[in-house]
Amino acid sequence: TSFPLPSFQVSTGAYKRQVHEVPLGKQITDPTLIEKITWATWTSILGDEVIGIWPRNADKADVNCACVTHAGLNIVTGDDFGLVKLFDFPCTEKFVSGSFILI
């Protein structure tokens, strides 16, 4: 497989991250290939790149949404507790304390 490989990722209802090739839709399962992909945008709550957005003892449904800034330096999340949190991106260290923004 050559890179850059046009790809997209989805988060399933079973909280699994899937990465697929474009345009065929073939699933990419090799973690080494997935690591080489540079994403143009990021809105997934799943993946090694965002493991730190999950609070300790979080239920799978606690973090509802995420979006990386255009500069690719930060990620903002929304959760079940009404909090909007800002993290550095990628956020690969578990249980990172984000900046909280109350809305």
Side-chain angles (χ1 to χ4, degrees):
T1 304
S2 63
F3 283 89
L5 177 68
S7 310
F8 68 93
Q9 62 180 334
V10 295
S11 301
T12 70
Y15 293 93
K16 302 287 182 194
R17 176 188 182 194
Q18 292 183 353
V19 178
H20 298 267
E21 291 180 25
V22 172
L24 300 177
K26 180 181 173 195
Q27 187 172 354
I28 303 169
T29 56
D30 183 343
T32 306
L33 294 178
I34 294 170
E35 284 177 9
K36 292 179 182 179
I37 299 171
T38 301
W39 299 101
T41 62
W42 187 288
T43 57
S44 179
I45 59 172
L46 302 176
D48 292 339
E49 298 86 344
V50 293
I51 194 126
I53 68 173
W54 292 89
R56 193 177 308 276
N57 302 318
D59 181 88
K60 285 183 179 178
D62 286 348
V63 179
N64 306 116
C65 58
C67 186
V68 170
T69 60
H70 290 289
L73 302 175
N74 300 100
I75 186 167
V76 65
T77 64
D79 65 30
D80 280 353
F81 310 105
L83 296 175
V84 174
K85 298 179 188 174
L86 181 69
F87 299 90
D88 289 336
F89 183 80
C91 188
T92 57
E93 185 179 327
K94 285 186 177 182
F95 315 123
V96 171
S97 232
S99 299
F100 297 83
I101 304 165
L102 295 176
I103 295 184

